[in-house]
Amino acid sequence: MSHGRSRPRRSGRAHPPEDEATLAAAAERLSRDVLELVRRELERARPEAVASLRRAGMGTLALTDATVCGALAVLSAHEAALAALERSMPRRCATTVLGAGYAVCGASLAWWGRRQLHEVRTASQQALDQVREGPPFRE
């Protein structure tokens, strides 16, 4: 039903152009402010990050030195064991016995390590399956 009075047509814009310009300026200011805040926070965190990296480097160096010392200790233990075995048997037999002992220890450790990794893989797969299934829904 028409009353003879027509409604003004909307241009499809929700706000006049002045409002859009004001909104764009506000968004630009907000963007600059956020960038400045992020820059200041990064500058504030830089000394802490550098200190953490320095500590991590020192820790890595200490672990490397510990590995070298451990290898030297194993070598010294090997020489001591070889010298002790040579007192009761010829050198060739002593090295064979020592080598067989290392082989048995290595095989045992490899078997144990493989079993541990298999158990971890199985447990991880079960946990992943539970996550994929999701939590039960309660009604």
Side-chain angles (χ1 to χ4, degrees), residues 5-128:
R5 204 171 162 198
S6 65
R7 290 184 168 177
R9 292 187 147 234
R10 294 190 134 180
S11 65
R13 292 186 170 201
H15 303 287
E18 307 86 50
D19 288 350
E20 288 178 6
T22 305
L23 185 60
E28 186 178 329
R29 281 193 311 274
L30 178 62
S31 175
R32 277 195 314 259
D33 291 347
V34 167
L35 287 173
E36 179 63 23
L37 179 63
V38 168
R39 187 190 63 74
R40 276 191 259 145
E41 286 300 312
L42 287 173
E43 286 298 320
R44 189 178 66 76
R46 174 181 257 150
E48 186 177 324
V50 169
S52 292
L53 288 173
R54 188 171 288 129
R55 283 192 307 269
M58 294 302 290
T60 301
L61 181 61
L63 287 173
T64 302
D65 291 346
T67 301
V68 170
C69 289
L72 291 172
V74 168
L75 182 61
S76 296
H78 166 79
E79 290 298 322
L82 185 59
L85 286 173
E86 285 178 340
R87 286 191 208 118
S88 61
M89 61 182 73
R91 182 171 177 86
R92 182 173 264 173
C93 289
T95 56
T96 301
V97 167
L98 205 51
Y102 291 149
V104 168
C105 286
S108 298
L109 287 169
W111 174 80
W112 182 79
R114 185 175 181 280
R115 193 177 89 209
Q116 294 299 309
L117 290 174
H118 178 73
E119 289 174 7
V120 167
R121 185 178 63 202
T122 301
S124 297
Q125 187 61 49
Q126 289 171 351
L128 185 58

